[in-house]
């Protein structure tokens, strides 16, 4: 570890004021945030993700609510992952998509897809009217090892139709799924599931142990798909524990 980088124990944190929860109606939330402008290397960032933190732009945070523990950090042990029927179907259905990995960068086509996705899937949540500046702050700013992955339909000439964009971070022990957005109105599409399957396969190729898909909330239908990747581990009480026996597979 570089001597100029902070150790996890030396980082400074602050807690936000309460704000409306974006997932559970009529609840408020708070976050614990790593104080900005602190440099960190891959070791420190990996330790934070293992402790349940996530990244949004330059901010690294975790839920720190007063009386709610609904947000459960998850990770998929890629060596043991076995897709279920729906996941195998999604893998076959989208197998023709061409994935290209880039450094983080702005692309007007990506931004237009992001706006369509937010309007269709998260209308009224505060992100459906993001301008370019807010989009870039949210997804294209990072001080860790991050990549942008675009998924397109094959084309004989030129670029095929854009279907999905994923932002991922590369950790010492895995890949962290920061955010994925996709074409919202395609019939029979399972882009979100396919995106996680692609990340699992990439982690295998890179000889990384885990994919961290983010938080899961049992009461949130939008997050239900995350717990269907089995086996899966949840962080509780500072320990990662497999939960395949606790939550019934659908």
């Amino acid at each position: 570890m570089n001597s100029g980088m902070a150790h996890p124990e030396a980082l400074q944190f602050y807690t936000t004021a309460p704000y409306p929860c974006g997932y559970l109606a009529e609840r408020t939330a708070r976050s614990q945030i790593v104080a900005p402008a602190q440099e960190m290397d891959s070791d420190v960032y990996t330790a934070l993700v293992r402790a349940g933190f996530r990244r949004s732009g330059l901010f690294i945070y975790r839920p720190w609510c007063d009386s709610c523990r609904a947000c459960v950090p998850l990770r998929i042990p890629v060596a043991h992952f076995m897709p279920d029927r729906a996941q195998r179907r999604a893998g076959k259905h989208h197998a023709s998509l061409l994935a290209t990995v880039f450094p983080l960068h702005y692309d007007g086509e990506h931004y237009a897809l992001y706006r369509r996705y937010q309007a269709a899937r998260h209308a009224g949540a505060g992100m459906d009217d993001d301008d370019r500046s807010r989009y870039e702050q949210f997804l294209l700013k990072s001080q860790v090892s991050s990549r942008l992955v675009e998924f397109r339909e094959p084309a004989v000439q030129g670029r095929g139709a854009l279907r999905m964009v994923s932002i991922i971070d590369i950790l010492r022990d895995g890949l962290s799924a920061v955010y994925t957005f996709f074409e919202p109105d395609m019939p029979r599409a399972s882009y979100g599931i396919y995106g996680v399957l692609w990340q699992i396969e990439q982690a295998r190729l890179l000889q990384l142990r885990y994919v961290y898909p983010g938080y899961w909330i049992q009461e949130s239908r939008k997050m239900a798909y995350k717990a269907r990747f089995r086996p899966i581990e949840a962080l509780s009480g500072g320990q990662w524990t497999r939960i395949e026996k606790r939550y019934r597979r659908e």
Side-chain angles (χ1 to χ4, degrees):
M1 182 181 298
N2 295 337
S3 60
M5 299 294 180
H7 290 263
E9 298 80 3
L11 294 172
Q12 296 181 336
F13 302 88
Y14 70 90
T15 303
T16 67
Y19 55 87
C21 178
Y23 295 100
L24 300 177
E26 301 181 359
R27 295 196 193 182
T28 58
R30 287 157 64 95
S31 296
Q32 184 184 53
I33 298 178
V34 179
Q38 296 184 93
E39 295 184 29
M40 65 179 62
D41 65 5
S42 182
D43 290 330
V44 175
Y45 183 52
T46 297
L48 288 169
V49 174
R50 286 176 182 165
F53 282 81
R54 303 291 296 166
R55 186 180 66 80
S56 176
L58 296 176
F59 291 94
I60 299 172
Y61 69 96
R62 65 180 172 184
W64 204 249
C65 304
D66 296 326
S67 59
C68 178
R69 298 294 181 268
C71 292
V72 179
L74 298 179
R75 70 183 185 186
I76 303 164
V78 300
H80 304 286
F81 170 69
M82 294 292 292
D84 64 15
R85 182 180 301 176
Q87 290 158 358
R88 291 194 298 270
R89 186 166 57 245
K92 292 179 180 179
H93 185 65
H94 296 300
S96 63
L97 289 177
L98 303 177
T100 307
V101 181
F102 297 98
L104 299 183
H105 70 284
Y106 177 80
D107 184 302
E109 191 178 10
H110 297 171
Y111 177 53
L113 176 61
Y114 173 83
R115 291 292 301 270
R116 292 196 301 275
Y117 172 81
Q118 294 296 343
R121 297 300 181 97
H122 301 290
M127 298 169 65
D128 49 330
D129 60 349
D130 278 2
D131 59 17
R132 174 176 171 175
S133 177
R134 291 174 64 183
Y135 166 77
E136 291 184 349
Q137 291 294 326
F138 174 41
L139 293 180
L140 305 183
K141 303 293 184 182
S142 173
Q143 60 173 324
V144 298
S145 181
S146 303
R147 301 290 187 273
L148 181 151
V149 188
E150 65 170 34
F151 297 82
R152 294 182 177 273
E153 298 286 357
V156 177
Q157 292 183 335
R159 299 197 300 178
L162 178 66
R163 296 304 187 207
M164 179 166 61
V165 173
S166 292
I167 308 297
I168 59 174
D169 291 341
I170 303 173
L171 312 175
R172 290 295 190 193
D173 67 349
L175 300 178
S176 178
V178 177
Y179 200 77
T180 293
F181 55 95
F182 48 80
E183 194 63 61
D185 297 319
M186 295 294 292
R188 299 179 58 246
S190 301
Y191 292 125
I193 293 174
Y194 182 75
V196 178
L197 294 174
W198 184 88
Q199 291 165 19
I200 291 171
E201 182 58 27
Q202 289 302 299
R204 283 180 174 150
L205 293 174
L206 295 171
Q207 298 184 333
L208 298 171
R209 296 179 64 189
Y210 302 107
V211 168
Y212 294 83
Y215 300 120
W216 173 68
I217 299 175
Q218 190 169 9
E219 299 174 53
S220 173
R221 294 181 60 187
K222 293 179 181 179
M223 293 190 173
Y225 75 96
K226 293 183 180 181
R228 296 180 184 141
F229 290 86
R230 303 300 179 93
I232 200 160
E233 299 178 0
L235 181 64
S236 179
Q239 299 292 324
W240 287 95
T241 306
R242 288 197 181 184
I243 61 171
E244 67 267 25
K245 294 182 180 179
R246 183 177 174 187
Y247 299 107
R248 180 176 299 174
R249 190 169 188 158
E250 298 184 11

